[in-house]
Amino acid sequence: MTTSPTAPTPSAAPPPAAPPGQRPRLRLAALGAVAVLAVGTPTAYAVLDTDSSSAAPSAAASRGKAYLETRLFFGTDRPDGGPPVTDKQFLAFVDRHITPRFPSGLTLQDGRGQWRDSNGVIETERSYELTLLYPMSEAKVHDPAIERIRTAYERAYAQDSVARVDEPTKVDF
């Protein structure tokens, strides 16, 4: 007598049936196990897939040209206790000092900033974040212009500083 791998063997007895009161608990336990496995699976893949050195680069990673992204953070409170910089004042500053230096484009976002002052007090204020994108090959040309923007804002509105972040990136328009 030959049996297929999926056919039960004659000596295998069916499992005993659960008493009627325990059947819902068994179903609930089985559903719970499936849910745990379903939720845990993406986490396991994410943990196991941390070595990207052997992975092929994605098409998106090779798209675009080498650019530099510069972000400037402009606070609006004045350390000397004067009135905060208004939207109208800031936009006039952009028109006068930033747009002429970066006529190809820029992005402005409203923000909320905070920092610890020299006395250890955490200060908060309304702020603006300016993002500039320009070809990496133009970085030496744009650096002095960006520093002039920072200095002009610090002087015009009695600011201690204007934060700057530079990051290399790839850009595709």
Side-chain angles (χ1 to χ4, degrees), residues 66-70 102 132-140 142-143 146 164 166:
Y67 267 63
L68 198 59
E69 176 183 359
T70 296
F102 292 91
L132 303 167
L133 296 170
Y134 46 93
M136 189 70 78
S137 61
E138 298 176 12
K140 287 184 180 180
H142 288 302
D143 183 69
I146 292 168
R164 177 178 176 171
D166 292 303

Side-chain angles (χ1 to χ4, degrees), residues 1-14:
M1 167 177 188
T2 2
T3 59
S4 70
T6 56
T9 59
S11 62

Side-chain angles (χ1 to χ4, degrees), residues 34-160:
V34 169
V36 167
L37 289 174
V39 170
T41 300
T43 304
Y45 282 118
V47 171
L48 292 176
D49 194 24
T50 57
D51 180 21
S52 60
S53 62
S54 62
S58 71
S62 63
R63 189 175 310 136
K65 295 180 181 177
Y67 267 63
L68 198 59
E69 176 183 359
T70 296
R71 288 180 287 148
L72 300 178
F73 300 87
F74 299 89
T76 57
D77 286 352
R78 297 185 197 210
D80 63 3
V85 178
T86 66
D87 286 339
K88 185 177 179 179
Q89 289 172 316
F90 185 76
L91 293 175
F93 179 85
V94 169
D95 290 345
R96 182 171 181 204
H97 295 280
I98 302 174
T99 300
R101 291 180 171 104
F102 292 91
S104 295
L106 53 92
T107 300
L108 285 173
Q109 296 184 55
D110 289 325
R112 295 284 312 157
Q114 77 176 41
W115 74 98
R116 187 179 308 270
D117 71 11
S118 59
N119 297 319
V121 176
I122 295 178
E123 302 283 345
T124 61
E125 68 182 323
R126 190 174 58 83
S127 61
Y128 297 96
E129 180 180 349
L130 169 71
T131 303
L132 303 167
L133 296 170
Y134 46 93
M136 189 70 78
S137 61
E138 298 176 12
K140 287 184 180 180
V141 173
H142 288 302
D143 183 69
I146 292 168
E147 289 307 303
R148 283 193 290 277
I149 291 167
R150 294 174 71 197
T151 301
Y153 191 79
E154 290 165 2
R155 288 181 182 160
Y157 301 108
Q159 298 293 303
D160 289 333

